[in-house]
């Protein structure tokens, strides 16, 4: 009886290890790996996400692992850690000035979806093999570019609100208070560029993209973020555009970053062929 129980435990552990090491990833291995990592990382997760936000992030993590494996998951985890850390910078000051994120930076499902919609689309396109092998690299590039774009946007905003000396509307260069939609600062912009470079470099180290693709991700992220600032300044909170909240703008922003990166890569391929 004892021997059969030991054998059952060994079989269960062996099965779990086989799932964990499966390559390419399956839905079962993605669920298991994601669950184990979320349990181990729960102390970090609760500092940056609400409970419903954690649930949304779990779905994102599972999808990411299924499409891009451990390297894709690590890229998103890096984005989350850096973005959460920046959100917490000078939190008391941000709260006092009324420019802090809701729930003191603990983001909900709307924010998770708004930050990952383009990446999720690229993940689904990869899983279902849309376009075949010829397009799989483009979907991976779009995935990386979307998170480079969002991290750059988050860091620009949070560092700008914490350290920006002068904040300008990008459309008119009029000086406005910190936290104004569509406003930028030198400090925040530089921090955002550095953040996109860091995440693109990490993606290169993880083998998600090559060096020239990492450069494309950085360029695309900055073009998209400029576009997002223009949209925020010109349309957000204006008559007839009440639907254009931060989550909607985030989706537009990361979609632009992803699409621009893919178009830039295709243009380079056409030029070289």
């Amino acid at each position: 009886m004892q021997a059969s129980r030991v054998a059952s435990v060994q079989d269960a552990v062996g099965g779990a290890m086989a799932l964990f090491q499966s390559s390419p990833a399956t839905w079962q291995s993605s669920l298991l790996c994601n669950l184990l990592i979320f349990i181990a990382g729960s102390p970090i997760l609760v500092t940056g996400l609400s409970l419903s936000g954690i649930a949304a992030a779990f779905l994102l993590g599972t999808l990411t692992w299924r499409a891009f494996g451990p390297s894709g998951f690590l890229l998103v985890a890096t984005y989350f850690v850096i973005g959460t850390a920046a959100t917490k910078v000078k939190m008391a000051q941000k709260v006092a000035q009324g420019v802090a994120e809701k729930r003191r930076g603990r983001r909900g499902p709307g924010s998770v979806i708004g930050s990952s919609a383009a990446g999720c689309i690229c993940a689904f396109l990869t899983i279902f093999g849309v376009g075949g092998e010829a397009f799989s690299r483009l979907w991976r590039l779009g995935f990386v570019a979307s998170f480079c774009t969002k991290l750059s946007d988050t860091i620009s905003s949070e560092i700008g609100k914490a350290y920006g000396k002068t904040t300008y509307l990008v459309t008119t260069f009029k000086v406005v208070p910190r936290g104004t939609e569509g406003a930028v600062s030198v400090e925040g912009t530089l921090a955002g560029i550095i953040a996109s470079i860091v995440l693109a470099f990490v993606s290169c180290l993880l083998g998600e993209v090559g060096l020239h693709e990492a450069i494309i991700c950085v360029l695309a992220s900055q073009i998209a973020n400029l576009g997002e600032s223009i949209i925020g300044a010109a349309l957000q909170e204006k008559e007839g555009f009440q639907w254009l909240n931060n989550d909607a703008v985030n989706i537009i922003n990361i979609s632009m970053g992803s699409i621009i990166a893919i178009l830039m890569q295709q243009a380079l391929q056409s030029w070289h062929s």
Side-chain angles (χ1 to χ4, degrees):
M1 189 71 173
Q2 185 72 19
S4 63
R5 287 179 179 175
V6 171
S8 297
V9 171
Q10 289 176 335
D11 288 343
V13 172
M17 289 301 296
L19 275 176
F20 192 83
Q21 296 170 349
S22 62
S23 180
T26 63
W27 284 114
Q28 292 90 336
S29 67
S30 301
L31 278 168
L32 174 63
C33 296
N34 204 34
L35 180 61
L36 293 175
I37 292 170
F38 264 61
I39 291 172
S42 57
I44 298 175
L45 288 169
V46 296
T47 65
L49 296 168
S50 66
L51 289 178
S52 54
I54 291 174
F58 182 82
L59 296 177
L60 168 63
T62 302
L63 177 62
T64 298
W65 195 295
R66 174 64 180 83
F68 304 112
S71 60
F73 186 94
L74 282 173
L75 182 71
V76 177
T78 302
Y79 152 79
F80 172 75
V81 171
I82 297 175
T84 300
T87 301
K88 302 298 183 183
V89 171
K90 291 198 173 185
M91 178 57 75
Q93 172 188 300
K94 293 173 185 175
V95 171
Q97 294 176 346
V99 296
E101 290 291 323
K102 296 176 182 177
R103 298 179 293 270
R104 298 182 70 88
R106 295 180 69 229
R107 300 175 190 271
S111 180
V112 174
I113 295 169
S115 300
S116 64
C120 288
I121 291 173
C122 290
F124 277 119
L125 291 171
T126 299
I127 291 169
F128 292 107
V130 176
E133 188 65 30
F135 279 81
S136 63
R137 192 77 186 175
L138 287 176
W139 306 145
R140 190 177 294 266
L141 173 65
F143 173 81
V144 174
S146 71
F147 283 100
C148 285
T149 301
K150 185 53 194 156
L151 182 62
S152 180
D153 175 52
T154 299
I155 299 301
S156 295
S157 175
E158 295 300 334
I159 297 303
K161 287 186 287 189
Y163 297 105
K165 291 188 174 71
T166 307
T167 310
Y168 305 90
L169 268 186
V170 73
T171 49
T172 63
F173 292 103
K174 177 185 176 183
V175 176
V176 292
R178 292 176 181 175
T180 302
E181 297 298 344
V184 298
S185 66
V186 172
E187 296 84 358
T189 300
L190 289 176
I193 293 172
I194 292 171
S196 67
I197 292 172
V198 168
L199 196 63
F201 179 68
V202 169
S203 72
C204 198
L205 290 179
L206 291 171
E208 285 295 294
V209 295
L211 181 58
H212 88 274
E213 291 171 321
I215 295 172
I216 285 175
C217 287
V218 174
L219 294 175
S221 70
Q222 299 315 301
I223 296 171
N225 283 336
L226 176 61
E228 188 253 7
S229 294
I230 293 172
I231 290 171
L235 302 177
Q236 202 169 357
E237 298 181 351
K238 300 296 191 298
E239 184 68 29
F241 291 92
Q242 288 82 359
W243 58 271
L244 197 63
N245 58 20
N246 283 336
D247 294 334
V249 172
N250 283 338
I251 292 174
I252 294 170
N253 181 30
I254 60 174
S255 298
M256 284 194 297
S258 184
I259 292 168
I260 290 169
I262 290 172
L263 292 177
M264 288 175 71
Q265 174 68 353
Q266 286 189 303
L268 278 176
Q269 289 175 343
S270 299
W271 186 61
H272 284 297
S273 62

